[in-house]
Amino acid sequence: MSNSFERYQKRKLISSYFSVVLSIALVLFLLGMLGILILNTKKLADHFKEQVAVTVFLKDQAKDVEIKQLQQSLAMADYTKSAVFVSKDEAAEKHSKEIGENFMDFLGYNPLQNSIDVHLKAAYVHPDSLQNIATGLTEKNYVDEVAYDQPLISLLNDNIKRISLWILIASGVFTLIAVLLINSSIRLSVYSNRFIIKTMQMVGATKAFIRKPFIWRNVKLGMVGATVSILAMSGVLYYADGRLPQLDILDDPVWLVVLFIGIFIISIVITTISTFIATQRFLNLRTDDLYY
């Protein structure tokens, strides 16, 4: 009979530990992924900004030397990420593939112009900066026009600011929720031991002596949960880096190490504070109140 009761108690204890570790791991995993999102928000925003192309259309009388000099000067400019020359024949071939037929058969000539597609660095993808760049380029007598999607750029910048603000708000709210969830799991774990706490107190144990094993146990469970969440995050990051290599998610390991250490510290701090508060509550209760 006693062996059966001991096995039942052991299973109950293991189940309690598992639920605490799982809840901590899940909450820290989601919190960590949110942290990774925040760290990569600027990188992601820069990636989308640098996909916007500024097209410099050249006049038909532009000389090859002038075109090459312009391309080289654009490639060496501080604001340029890449500058690629597109001949009128290449542009016609690309356009024909897009529409599914050769439009030059109907027109009898190629109406397109030689051009240079310029992709700017993210810091310069702003309406004011683009306007200054376009003004400087159009002053050249062999440049016919500088074209870019101004409404798209304005919309892109506005959306990035809006999304960044909401991400910061969401991170604050989610951090609070994470603390509350971990705190609830630990309170339930301590609640199941409330009679042990009160018994130890009744035989003369000090509050610090009673709290110590509970705090140490939950800190260890928190560290296990943090380890599980870090392993899960590493797997997700490795998969995401393979699917989206252009984002270079794993190219800055220092920030990832700082984030993982932060997850560990958060787990220790939250479990310590939550266990202290939970045990203190039951230490201050009267014996009769433990049954409610």
Side-chain angles (χ1 to χ4, degrees):
M1 183 70 178
S2 61
N3 290 335
S4 177
F5 179 75
E6 288 178 2
R7 285 196 298 269
Y8 169 76
Q9 287 292 96
K10 188 176 292 185
R11 285 197 301 268
K12 185 178 178 181
L13 192 62
I14 292 173
S15 176
S16 175
Y17 290 169
F18 178 78
S19 63
V20 172
V21 170
L22 183 62
S23 62
I24 291 174
L26 287 174
V27 172
L28 291 179
F29 171 77
L30 294 175
L31 191 62
M33 293 307 297
L34 184 62
I36 291 170
L37 179 62
I38 293 171
L39 292 176
N40 287 277
T41 296
K42 185 178 184 302
K43 189 181 292 184
L44 191 62
D46 290 350
H47 170 73
F48 284 114
K49 284 183 177 181
E50 290 172 355
Q51 303 307 305
V52 177
V54 176
T55 304
V56 182
F57 291 103
L58 305 168
K59 294 179 179 179
D60 291 336
Q61 60 266 31
K63 299 177 183 179
D64 291 341
V65 175
E66 293 174 330
I67 295 173
K68 289 181 180 178
Q69 287 178 345
L70 178 60
Q71 183 182 2
Q72 290 176 355
S73 64
L74 285 172
M76 296 175 63
D78 294 336
Y79 54 78
T80 304
K81 183 176 179 65
S82 65
V84 179
F85 173 72
V86 180
S87 68
K88 58 193 305 183
D89 294 332
E90 292 173 343
E93 182 180 354
K94 181 180 179 181
H95 189 63
S96 297
K97 289 181 179 178
E98 289 177 352
I99 64 176
E101 57 182 340
N102 191 346
F103 64 94
M104 288 189 294
D105 292 341
F106 299 97
L107 298 176
Y109 70 100
N110 185 356
L112 302 180
Q113 297 172 285
N114 294 325
S115 63
I116 300 175
D117 287 340
V118 183
H119 289 271
L120 304 180
K121 293 178 181 177
Y124 295 90
V125 183
H126 187 275
D128 295 338
S129 300
L130 284 167
Q131 184 61 43
N132 293 333
I133 293 169
T135 301
L137 291 172
T138 51
E139 291 176 352
K140 301 181 184 297
N141 56 13
Y142 52 86
V143 173
D144 184 47
E145 182 187 2
V146 177
Y148 57 91
D149 195 336
Q150 186 171 355
L152 174 63
I153 292 169
S154 299
L155 183 63
L156 182 63
N157 280 285
D158 292 341
N159 285 339
I160 287 173
K161 290 179 181 178
R162 192 177 297 111
I163 291 170
S164 299
L165 175 62
W166 279 109
I167 286 176
L168 288 175
I169 294 172
S171 63
V173 172
F174 195 81
T175 301
L176 177 62
I177 293 173
V179 172
L180 293 176
L181 288 174
I182 294 176
N183 181 64
S184 297
S185 298
I186 291 176
R187 283 187 64 183
L188 287 173
S189 175
V190 175
Y191 176 80
S192 62
N193 294 293
R194 64 193 185 283
F195 292 109
I196 297 175
I197 292 173
K198 186 55 65 175
T199 301
M200 293 174 68
Q201 189 178 24
M202 291 175 65
V203 297
T206 63
K207 291 183 178 181
F209 180 83
I210 296 171
R211 280 195 300 262
K212 185 176 179 180
F214 287 98
I215 291 175
W216 177 233
R217 183 191 68 189
N218 285 320
V219 165
K220 287 191 291 185
L221 294 177
M223 292 171 67
V224 172
T227 302
V228 172
S229 67
I230 288 172
L231 291 175
M233 281 188 288
S234 299
V236 171
L237 288 174
Y238 181 78
Y239 175 79
D241 187 63
R243 295 299 298 270
L244 299 170
Q246 64 270 25
L247 295 182
D248 299 328
I249 297 174
L250 299 179
D251 281 6
D252 194 1
V254 175
W255 282 108
L256 290 178
V257 171
V258 171
L259 178 65
F260 291 162
I261 293 174
I263 292 294
F264 246 102
I265 294 173
I266 288 173
S267 70
I268 293 172
V269 171
I270 294 177
T271 52
T272 300
I273 295 175
S274 298
T275 307
F276 180 91
I277 294 173
T279 53
Q280 188 68 24
R281 176 175 177 272
F282 292 115
L283 285 169
N284 293 333
L285 284 178
R286 294 180 303 173
T287 304
D288 295 339
D289 295 333
L290 296 176
Y291 295 93
Y292 299 99

